[in-house]
Amino acid sequence: MATPRNGAPKVSVLLCFSIFFIFVLLSSGRVFGQSSPVFACDVGSNPALASLGFCNSSLGIDSRVADLVKRLTLQEKIGFLVNSAGSVSRLGIPKYEWWSEALHGVSNVGPGTRFTNLVPGATSFPQVILTAASFNASLFEAIGRVVSTEARAMYNVGLAGLTYWSPNINIFRDPRWGRGQETPGEDPLLSSKYASSYVRGLQQRDGGDPNGLKVAACCKHYTAYDVDNWKGTDRYHFNAVVTKQDMDDTFQPPFKSCVIDGNVASVMCSYNQVNGKPTCADPDLLAGVIRGEWKLNGYIVSDCDSVDVFFNSQHYTKTPEEAAAKAISAGLDLNCGSFLSKHTEAAVKGGLLAEAAIDKAITNNFGTLMRLGFFDGDPRKQLYGKLGPKDVCTPENQELAREAARQGIVLLKNSPACLPLSPTAIKSLAVIGPNANVTKTMIGNYEGIPCKYTTPLQGLTASVATTYQPGCTNVACSTVQLDAAKKIAALADATVLIMGADQSIEAESRDRIDITLPGQQALLVTEVAKASKGPVILVIMSGGGMDISFAKSDDKITSILWVGYPGEAGGAAIADVIFGYFNPSGRLPMTWYPQSFADKVPMTNMNMRPDPSKGYPGRTYRFYTGEAVYAFGDGLSYSSFTHHLVQAPKTLFIPLEESHICHSTRCKSLHVGDQHCQNLGFDIHLRVKNKGAMSGSHTIFLFSTPPSMHSSPQKHLLGFEKVFLTAQTEAQVRFKVDVCKDLSVVDELGNRKVALGQHVLHVGSLKSSLNVRI
């Protein structure tokens, strides 16, 4: 950079003074411009704003939004189509940044949120894949409530926004996907329950206003998005070829539940194309399904630069104006990026887009901000106005992060009498592995700055004396320090190996090729296990599953735990499980495949169902026909639980009018949309007993195997319940089954049908046949 002549001394003095001034502010605990929230209709500062209809909070939202939109010029309207929304000072509307993230805690990944000395961190919960492994819908919602409280607290001091582009509810279809860690797993029902529960936790306000929002959530990435960068195919160019059947019974259900059951305020369209159309330019997917069929009450936003991507990378339109027009006409309301701010006016003037379409888009955006109270004046005088830095990183919030990690940790293998370790009998513990003393690795991606960290080594050391060797310098483990690791394992009463992955192995824009432990990790594990004199506990820290067949079959490796990316308190939670302060109850939310699956199956093949003629094994527990290393739902406890079926129907008759065609024709299935579906259901009652000596939680899964028709799933999850039982006690669990919702399958044309014939309901080893007839 050139220095201006004759100006250097003056610039230097000013620079030094500025640095000193900033230092004084930081030292005093005050940061300029970070003491007040951003909001519109500041009548206190400008009383004239009180006369404006959109500032009158006694009017209905629709009336207020209509009043605001009609006051704006075309250029001003266009400024509200992008995430860094423009200001209109004449109307008392400040700039607003829409992009904030809260995947598993308030994050500073988006520009709308930042941490300072005023609020240096926020509670960092486990990465979503581990929280999902708890199979505890009330936990999902409780985490959402804490995150929204901390978000509101930060908003009140000018450090955060009100609109959060979370959660990620894509189906974890392929173990290689780098972003699978962000999702609730491979099952549509679990993903749907996670979506609606977490969104309710984020959005639901106290005070009884059902239309109001605490913060606005966003379900992403719509839809059939799960290839980031695999063998030269990246998300910006990928065309996901998806059958109507797979779309409607695998990829769409979580989004449908998010909108209908969760009443989410936003849906984000993805980068990829689906069957040749960019999702952000597809009127059937946006205006047709999200807005039309599901009745979204909120706004549709693009993934960042998606509109730019479908013009510049996918070449879907010939001109940028056409791209802008197609996106808005399809139902897109907000562009993360600047594309629409640059090209929308020319699209209108060129006759490609009516101004009314822009009005519609910004109406959805303003409606969301109205529901958040953004146009109600100073939020510090409103509900949640008293929240502040004291409400972030509270002891209660941090304890919930530890509890969430404990509930999610999955015990995959446990030789008799190995775990839990006794903190009194074990005098020395060898702790080995590249993830044994990590901090940032534990919180995964879309992370914030945590309140504090407890590493695995710190957690274990709190109970017993430890010796530590990393064994590898990092998870890539290109070289291994075997001698030092084997030496401490040979001397210790027990050995804990903490291996796995991090963001250098699996991340956004980074899919895996191999699903084995990276580098020489397997060698380190095997050799240390041979040298160890006591029990060997292998801990896998990762988002995706690993082919650890070698460890599963190695008798020297006595126990295996999967801990996901367990969040800020991950080390404490791992120790809680290993030493038996907590009885593990997590279950795998995804199938763990062998490496042969990754060698044989292209990641880009979107088909869920197997094709034996091509040697294609299908995907996820619902359709996969090959051998798994570990199965969806696998997970052990320190107790044993038994199930007893108390009540379940054997036959179910579906009432049909006498004129129905199925009385004269042999029907295999009935269309769900017909009148016969109303209020058709039954209950299943189970007795569950904890036969062990230790109290603990237990997840009960209700699966159904439908009759073999319409390429139906091998089995699919109808419901799950988590119960806590003290030792030697039992409880009754009831599942309510909605026949047309729960026992239906999707046919080849995407129509939902109730299959007639024998359905098999199963819970654990229990099976009960149900004959569905007309």
Side-chain angles (χ1 to χ4, degrees):
M1 181 186 293
T3 303
R5 279 179 297 175
N6 305 322
K10 190 183 293 184
V11 169
S12 299
V13 170
L14 286 171
L15 185 62
C16 289
F17 179 78
S18 299
I19 292 169
F20 174 75
F21 182 64
I22 291 166
F23 174 77
V24 169
L25 284 175
L26 289 170
S27 301
S28 67
R30 291 171 57 248
V31 180
F32 183 76
Q34 293 182 351
S35 58
S36 60
V38 176
F39 61 95
C41 299
D42 187 358
V43 175
S45 298
N46 184 359
L49 298 174
S51 64
L52 302 177
F54 68 85
C55 288
N56 184 352
S57 58
S58 67
L59 297 177
I61 284 177
D62 290 348
S63 301
R64 296 175 71 189
V65 171
D67 177 79
L68 172 53
V69 171
K70 75 181 182 186
R71 295 175 186 274
L72 299 172
T73 66
L74 175 61
Q75 289 79 11
E76 287 170 342
K77 290 174 183 177
I78 289 167
F80 293 109
L81 292 172
V82 291
N83 65 287
S84 294
S87 62
V88 182
S89 54
R90 66 185 178 84
L91 297 176
I93 303 171
K95 288 181 178 293
Y96 177 72
E97 176 54 65
W98 286 80
W99 181 5
S100 290
E101 303 277 356
L103 183 67
H104 51 107
V106 179
S107 167
N108 57 346
V109 168
T113 301
R114 61 199 185 281
F115 294 104
T116 68
N117 62 315
L118 190 61
V119 180
T123 309
S124 191
F125 291 91
Q127 183 61 291
V128 176
I129 194 69
L130 188 73
T131 296
S134 73
F135 283 89
N136 185 346
S138 62
L139 176 66
F140 307 157
E141 188 167 335
I143 292 172
R145 281 197 300 274
V146 166
V147 173
S148 59
T149 295
E150 295 197 345
R152 272 280 177 177
M154 291 178 66
Y155 170 70
N156 286 344
V157 291
L159 294 176
L162 293 169
T163 46
Y164 289 83
W165 293 347
S166 307
N168 177 346
I169 57 167
N170 293 115
I171 293 293
F172 195 175
R173 176 187 62 95
D174 191 290
R176 293 163 286 192
W177 188 31
R179 301 190 74 174
Q181 59 179 290
E182 302 172 31
T183 76
E186 70 181 34
D187 180 67
L189 178 79
L190 173 59
S191 298
S192 296
K193 294 265 192 195
Y194 181 86
S196 56
S197 299
Y198 187 64
V199 164
R200 276 194 295 271
L202 287 175
Q203 292 192 165
Q204 280 189 346
R205 285 170 74 92
D206 306 310
D209 178 5
N211 197 37
L213 294 167
K214 189 178 178 187
V215 302
C218 171
C219 282
K220 63 187 188 185
H221 312 79
Y222 181 83
T223 183
Y225 165 70
D226 56 13
V227 173
D228 260 58
N229 193 348
W230 180 78
K231 292 190 174 181
T233 299
D234 69 41
R235 57 186 174 168
Y236 307 119
H237 300 87
F238 181 55
N239 176 29
V241 178
V242 187
T243 67
K244 185 74 175 130
Q245 187 174 32
D246 285 341
M247 182 68 90
D248 287 354
D249 88 342
T250 295
F251 297 110
Q252 293 291 71
F255 290 98
K256 182 177 182 180
S257 181
C258 189
V259 175
I260 294 175
D261 302 324
N263 192 24
V264 77
S266 177
V267 175
M268 177 184 285
C269 52
S270 53
Y271 290 115
N272 56 292
Q273 296 186 1
V274 174
N275 298 326
K277 287 186 181 178
T279 63
C280 292
D282 189 334
D284 294 329
L285 284 176
L286 304 189
V289 175
I290 301 177
R291 185 78 59 193
E293 290 179 30
W294 300 342
K295 310 296 183 197
L296 173 72
N297 179 17
Y299 69 100
I300 299 173
V301 62
S302 73
D303 203 341
C304 293
D305 294 318
S306 284
V307 185
D308 184 281
V309 163
F310 79 65
F311 171 64
N312 278 311
S313 298
Q314 297 172 6
H315 308 297
Y316 187 67
T317 63
K318 290 182 179 176
T319 68
E321 295 78 20
E322 286 176 311
K326 274 197 177 293
I328 295 169
S329 299
L332 187 72
D333 302 310
L334 189 73
N335 167 212
C336 177
S338 58
F339 194 90
L340 291 188
S341 64
K342 294 173 182 173
H343 303 294
T344 301
E345 186 173 356
V348 172
K349 290 181 175 173
L352 299 171
L353 183 70
E355 189 170 345
I358 298 171
D359 292 350
K360 200 171 177 181
I362 62 171
T363 292
N364 293 325
N365 300 340
F366 287 139
T368 305
L369 290 177
M370 292 276 183
R371 294 169 64 200
L372 286 160
F374 186 78
F375 288 91
D376 292 348
D378 193 341
R380 292 166 298 188
K381 297 175 183 175
Q382 316 293 336
L383 183 65
Y384 305 118
K386 299 289 187 281
L387 295 173
K390 70 182 189 311
D391 301 294
V392 182
C393 287
T394 65
E396 296 79 12
N397 294 357
Q398 293 189 65
E399 181 57 31
L400 185 63
R402 181 173 181 167
E403 175 65 17
R406 284 192 294 232
Q407 287 199 29
I409 289 173
V410 182
L411 178 63
L412 291 170
K413 175 183 177 180
N414 197 26
S415 303
C418 174
L419 286 182
L421 297 181
S422 164
T424 51
I426 298 292
K427 303 299 183 188
S428 60
L429 188 69
V431 183
I432 296 165
N435 278 338
N437 199 31
V438 291
T439 53
K440 201 165 187 294
T441 297
M442 294 196 300
I443 57 176
N445 67 356
Y446 282 83
E447 77 288 2
I449 297 173
C451 314
K452 63 181 182 184
Y453 286 110
T454 303
T455 72
L457 180 60
Q458 288 170 333
L460 295 165
T461 303
S463 283
V464 298
T466 59
T467 52
Y468 163 64
Q469 284 290 335
C472 315
T473 53
N474 53 39
V475 291
C477 203
S478 55
T479 57
V480 60
Q481 295 93 47
L482 275 180
D483 291 344
K486 286 163 68 175
K487 183 178 179 182
I488 65 168
L491 296 172
D493 293 336
T495 297
V496 179
L497 285 146
I498 306 180
M499 317 301 288
D502 64 13
Q503 302 304 307
S504 70
I505 302 293
E506 50 178 3
E508 185 170 6
S509 300
R510 184 176 289 119
D511 297 328
R512 289 188 288 166
I513 304 296
D514 298 315
I515 52 176
T516 51
L517 287 177
Q520 297 190 60
Q521 285 192 35
L523 174 67
L524 176 63
V525 171
T526 303
E527 291 301 311
V528 166
K530 280 183 196 170
S532 299
K533 76 168 183 179
V536 177
I537 299 99
L538 173 61
V539 177
I540 304 294
M541 192 180 290
S542 68
M546 298 278 187
D547 182 351
I548 51 168
S549 306
F550 78 95
K552 183 180 180 182
S553 60
D554 187 340
D555 291 339
K556 285 287 289 179
I557 298 168
T558 48
S559 303
I560 300 174
L561 290 166
W562 174 69
V563 301
Y565 293 121
E568 65 169 44
I574 291 167
D576 288 341
V577 170
I578 286 176
F579 288 110
Y581 308 129
F582 187 88
N583 193 346
S585 60
R587 302 289 196 94
L588 285 183
M590 72 298 203
T591 303
W592 283 31
Y593 298 87
Q595 176 61 32
S596 57
F597 173 92
D599 292 337
K600 184 169 69 171
V601 178
M603 194 174 168
T604 47
N605 185 332
M606 298 294 290
N607 292 331
M608 300 303 297
R609 288 158 168 81
D611 184 348
S613 68
K614 296 180 179 174
Y616 182 68
R619 295 172 183 275
T620 77
Y621 80 93
R622 295 166 72 225
F623 302 106
Y624 176 59
T625 54
E627 290 293 316
V629 179
Y630 287 106
F632 174 88
D634 276 0
L636 304 171
S637 168
Y638 297 150
S639 296
S640 61
F641 295 85
T642 58
H643 310 108
H644 176 73
L645 188 63
V646 176
Q647 175 190 319
K650 292 292 183 186
T651 306
L652 186 83
F653 290 95
I654 298 180
L656 294 181
E657 295 175 5
E658 287 183 22
S659 59
H660 198 284
I661 191 171
C662 286
H663 284 301
S664 56
T665 307
R666 185 170 171 80
C667 289
K668 290 186 174 182
S669 58
L670 295 171
H671 194 275
V672 158
D674 294 346
Q675 194 64 35
H676 55 257
C677 263
Q678 302 304 315
N679 303 317
L680 190 62
F682 59 88
D683 287 355
I684 292 178
H685 294 262
L686 297 155
R687 200 161 58 241
V688 183
K689 183 169 185 178
N690 180 353
K691 298 190 76 174
M694 191 172 180
S695 300
S697 292
H698 177 63
T699 298
I700 303 103
F701 295 114
L702 175 63
F703 289 100
S704 167
T705 296
S708 183
M709 63 179 72
H710 302 308
S711 302
S712 57
Q714 301 169 118
K715 66 174 184 175
H716 65 119
L717 189 61
L718 302 190
F720 57 87
E721 291 291 336
K722 192 155 193 170
V723 294
F724 179 82
L725 292 170
T726 55
Q728 299 299 317
T729 63
E730 62 182 36
Q732 287 255 13
V733 175
R734 183 182 72 162
F735 287 100
K736 291 182 75 68
V737 179
D738 179 319
V739 172
C740 292
K741 181 181 177 185
D742 298 326
L743 295 186
S744 58
V745 296
V746 175
D747 72 8
E748 293 78 359
L749 299 175
N751 301 308
R752 193 161 277 281
K753 301 279 187 71
V754 177
L756 299 175
Q758 184 170 286
H759 296 248
V760 179
L761 304 173
H762 27 126
V763 175
S765 59
L766 286 180
K767 291 191 176 181
S768 177
S769 293
L770 172 66
N771 195 12
V772 178
R773 303 169 62 183
I774 57 171

